[in-house]
Amino acid sequence: MTQDLWRTHADEIARELRQHRYHRSDDGVLLTRMGVFVGGAMKVRDFRDGHQQTVAIDANTLLNEGLNHLLNVGFPPTGGYAQITQWYLAPFKGNYAPDPTLTAAQFPVVADEFTAYTATTRPALVIPRLATAQSTGNTGNEARITLAAGGPYNLYGCLIVSSSAKGTTTGIGMAAVRFDHPRLNMTGGDQLGIEYVFTATDAG
């Protein structure tokens, strides 16, 4: 998403959100009077013994605290506002349906964060280039998660969050994705490949 959209229209967007003149869909938020759609989707591939098993694209649920962060970056309050420069992926194992009121502080318990993978921290969502065509993400730079020995593991979704430590209750949650087809009975050595694309566009 281009920051120009937020810098130019952040006050108007904030007013529309405050006055509840918007519609939440399965994959984002439509600001009906402004004709703007904001949302994202996650492409997830799973691998066993180096061979791809399944691939699916699932819509996200944008979180209120993430939307507030975008508004504060684009239209900072007096005194300034610190922009988050790195986001992370946090898979969860709870049979949980994301809600916009979910926060990063609640996430590890409410969604039952999954931490049994080999990396010592949550994998980074590495965005390699500036946004174009009102879209941004890590396309072509897939994040890989390798499951630790053991299992079976059931994975139901993933959170995009600003804090890197597994299980931490700090930071800001941007979006949560519930897999339409949960990855069930995964075992040590299996992998998830994750790409996320975030879009802000004219919905007219």
Side-chain angles (χ1 to χ4, degrees):
M1 178 189 58
T2 60
Q3 289 196 13
D4 286 346
L5 173 69
W6 296 100
R7 289 194 180 102
T8 305
H9 299 292
D11 52 347
E12 186 177 357
I13 291 170
R15 183 172 60 251
E16 296 300 294
L17 291 173
R18 284 196 305 270
Q19 297 182 5
H20 304 286
R21 291 196 292 254
Y22 62 89
H23 173 70
R24 283 191 180 272
S25 67
D26 290 339
D27 52 356
V29 175
L30 175 66
L31 303 174
T32 50
R33 284 170 32 118
M34 293 179 65
V36 173
F37 172 80
V38 180
M42 183 174 286
K43 177 181 178 181
V44 180
R45 303 192 297 158
D46 58 282
F47 300 84
R48 176 162 292 172
D49 298 324
H51 300 289
Q52 180 177 297
Q53 303 298 301
T54 62
V55 59
I57 298 176
D58 299 309
N60 71 184
T61 296
L62 291 176
L63 306 184
N64 292 341
E65 69 175 6
L67 290 172
N68 286 335
H69 172 74
L70 291 177
L71 292 170
N72 286 328
V73 167
F75 197 71
T78 301
Y81 181 83
Q83 179 181 357
I84 292 168
T85 59
Q86 183 61 67
W87 296 91
Y88 300 89
L89 300 164
F92 60 86
K93 60 182 178 178
N95 189 359
Y96 169 72
D99 182 275
T101 62
L102 177 70
T103 65
Q106 298 166 339
F107 167 73
V109 172
V110 171
D112 198 3
E113 181 176 359
F114 176 75
T115 59
Y117 48 92
T118 57
T120 57
T121 63
R122 295 166 174 167
L125 181 71
V126 179
I127 298 173
R129 61 189 64 87
L130 291 174
T132 59
Q134 297 75 56
S135 183
T136 191
N138 70 329
T139 301
N141 201 30
E142 179 182 75
R144 283 287 183 103
I145 298 173
T146 301
L147 276 57
Y153 302 119
N154 297 330
L155 302 181
Y156 286 88
C158 189
L159 178 76
I160 296 172
V161 63
S162 66
S163 47
S164 63
K166 294 180 180 180
T168 187
T169 57
T170 61
I172 291 175
M174 176 57 65
V177 175
R178 162 76 184 218
F179 301 153
D180 284 344
H181 301 286
R183 296 338 195 250
L184 305 178
N185 298 313
M186 300 186 75
T187 59
D190 289 352
Q191 293 184 316
L192 287 182
I194 299 177
E195 294 183 18
Y196 179 72
V197 174
F198 191 88
T199 300
T201 187
D202 185 346

